[in-house]
């Protein structure tokens, strides 16, 4: 039997032909069968025969994998599909969540243009750092050109550099800011999941109607996080910038910033206890290390009690 031979029941394939048509390997097809993701083939004598439904199912699985679904989730979705519940709403919800969350459009920039914006001197280390942060992305086949996912972010870096901020400080600030913003995003998702989306996504897989309703809510709520952050950032900037300016305009000037070691008075009994523990030559280092450990411990306690999201993101359903 040849690949795609037409019969009364439609196209039929051997497993090798099905693999070629679908882009999956023979091993993957058999694994999907074992996991219940793919129906068993029809047995014809000594041969297994696959049909158009198998090919369509393999393409469905590939599409869902591309959308970030796990095989376990795909199995639940396909079972719902087989039970007569549509996937249109679910796939629409996925598309809504994975779509752009801002009106910015990516642009391209050449290496020469990039160097010109940052002083005219090529710096491969800085470019590598920008690519690691995702500020720049490589363009396949073009070593002298980059994709800029957020032109606004690059423009901010250019202005900060022009104002005298070193590039290393800009990238360090972006890393710190990104961690804080990811925490805000995670908390907003937890908040909206608990109070809004739980009623639509609390059962798995969601019905087609519930998924469609959740997608509509994503469209409505999408701008709220950015609007809230914009408003609160403006409030905080006004508050703290005013305070900082008042400090600098005081007759005696701003309070001096610590630029080196400072003497701190400690009770004599504390000094003697540390000296007895680690010796006189290690006393200062021990006290500094103990203070640093206490600060870190209190920071961890604060993050734990405030429910900060873990580095791998929110896990709440």
């Amino acid at each position: 039997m040849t690949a795609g031979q037409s019969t009364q029941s439609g196209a039929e394939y051997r497993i090798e032909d099905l693999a070629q048509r679908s882009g999956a390997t023979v091993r993957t097809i058999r694994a999907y069968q074992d996991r219940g993701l793919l129906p068993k083939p029809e047995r014809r004598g000594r041969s297994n025969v696959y049909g158009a439904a198998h090919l369509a199912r393999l393409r469905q699985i590939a599409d869902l994998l591309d959308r970030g679904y796990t095989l376990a989730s795909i199995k639940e979705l396909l079972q719902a599909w087989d039970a007569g519940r549509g996937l249109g709403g679910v796939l629409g919800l996925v598309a809504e969540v994975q779509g752009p969350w801002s009106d910015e459009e990516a642009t391209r920039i050449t290496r020469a243009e990039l160097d010109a914006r940052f002083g005219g001197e090529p710096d491969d280390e800085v470019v590598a750092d920008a690519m690691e942060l995702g500020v720049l992305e490589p363009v396949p086949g073009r070593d002298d050109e980059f994709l800029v996912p957020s032109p606004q972010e690059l423009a901010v870096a250019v202005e900060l550099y022009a104002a005298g901020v070193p590039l290393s400080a800009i990238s360090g600030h972006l890393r710190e800011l990104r961690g804080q913003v990811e925490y805000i995003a995670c908390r907003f998702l937890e908040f909206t999941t608990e109070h809004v989306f739980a009623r639509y996504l609390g059962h798995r897989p969601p019905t087609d109607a519930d998924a469609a309703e959740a997608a509509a809510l994503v469209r409505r709520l999408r701008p709220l996080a950015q609007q809230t952050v914009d408003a609160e950032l403006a409030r905080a900037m006004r508050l703290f910038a005013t305070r900082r300016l008042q400090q600098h305009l005081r007759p005696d000037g701003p309070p001096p910033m610590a630029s080196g070691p400072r003497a701190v008075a400690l009770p004599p009994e504390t000094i003697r206890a540390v000296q007895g523990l680690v010796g006189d030559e290690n006393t200062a280092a021990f006290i500094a290390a103990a203070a640093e450990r206490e600060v870190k411990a209190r920071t961890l306690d604060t993050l734990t009690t405030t429910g900060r999201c873990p580095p791998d993101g929110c896990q709440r359903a």
Side-chain angles (χ1 to χ4, degrees):
M1 182 181 301
T2 59
Q5 177 178 339
S6 178
T7 67
Q8 291 182 349
S9 58
E12 296 184 347
Y13 311 97
R14 297 170 302 180
I15 191 169
E16 294 82 5
D17 302 322
L18 182 65
Q20 184 177 13
R21 287 291 188 97
S22 66
T25 65
V26 170
R27 183 177 180 181
T28 297
I29 293 173
R30 287 177 174 150
Y32 287 168
Q33 289 177 189
D34 292 340
R35 299 187 66 153
L37 291 165
L38 195 67
K40 296 291 184 182
E42 183 180 345
R43 190 72 176 176
R44 299 269 186 85
R46 297 183 178 181
S47 301
N48 288 325
V49 177
Y50 297 83
H54 293 91
L55 180 58
R57 177 57 56 90
L58 286 171
R59 288 172 174 167
Q60 274 184 327
I61 294 171
D63 180 59
L64 291 169
L65 287 172
D66 288 342
R67 294 171 183 266
Y69 281 87
T70 65
L71 288 176
S73 297
I74 291 173
K75 184 175 181 179
E76 291 181 349
L77 289 171
L78 294 178
Q79 286 174 342
W81 174 272
D82 291 339
R85 293 161 61 185
L87 283 180
V90 172
L91 298 183
L93 174 60
V94 172
E96 198 66 50
V97 171
Q98 292 182 345
W101 283 69
S102 82
D103 296 330
E104 268 198 290
E105 294 185 4
T107 60
R108 292 193 180 194
I109 188 171
T110 66
R111 178 60 188 267
E113 291 170 336
L114 185 67
D115 292 339
R117 293 193 188 185
F118 291 97
E121 294 294 329
D123 192 328
D124 293 340
E125 185 175 343
V126 169
V127 171
D129 199 27
M131 292 177 66
E132 181 184 344
L133 286 165
V135 177
L136 300 175
E137 294 181 2
V139 176
R142 298 295 301 271
D143 295 335
D144 63 338
E145 194 172 9
F146 302 96
L147 183 70
V148 184
S150 173
Q152 291 181 6
E153 195 167 52
L154 182 62
V156 169
V158 171
E159 290 297 326
L160 289 173
Y161 179 79
V165 182
L167 287 173
S168 59
I170 294 173
S171 61
H173 175 71
L174 177 56
R175 282 189 171 88
E176 180 183 357
L177 180 65
R178 182 167 294 177
Q180 294 166 345
V181 171
E182 286 176 353
Y183 168 63
I184 293 172
C186 190
R187 290 293 299 123
F188 188 82
L189 286 173
E190 286 186 335
F191 169 77
T192 53
T193 296
E194 178 181 357
H195 295 285
V196 179
F197 292 105
R199 72 182 76 120
Y200 300 103
L201 305 178
H203 47 281
R204 299 181 59 185
T207 65
D208 202 45
D210 281 349
E213 184 67 23
L217 282 168
V218 170
R219 286 192 294 274
R220 288 173 51 194
L221 299 181
R222 177 184 288 160
L224 298 187
Q226 184 171 349
Q227 290 170 4
T228 302
V229 171
D230 285 347
E232 285 300 310
L233 180 61
R235 181 199 62 81
M237 287 297 296
R238 180 181 180 185
L239 173 65
F240 291 113
T242 300
R243 288 180 183 176
R244 186 63 56 89
L245 180 61
Q246 289 172 346
Q247 289 177 350
H248 281 272
L249 295 180
R250 292 188 315 182
D252 54 350
M257 297 181 64
S259 58
R262 294 178 57 187
V264 178
L266 294 175
E269 57 270 20
T270 300
I271 300 294
R272 287 194 295 269
V274 174
Q275 288 174 334
L277 184 64
V278 299
D280 184 63
E281 68 279 6
N282 295 320
T283 296
F286 180 88
I287 292 174
E292 183 178 352
R293 184 173 66 177
E294 178 65 18
V295 169
K296 290 181 177 179
R298 292 191 180 195
T299 300
L300 290 173
D301 289 342
T302 300
L303 294 178
T304 301
T305 56
T306 56
R308 180 166 183 168
C309 297
D312 58 346
C314 304
Q315 300 297 323
R316 184 176 299 175

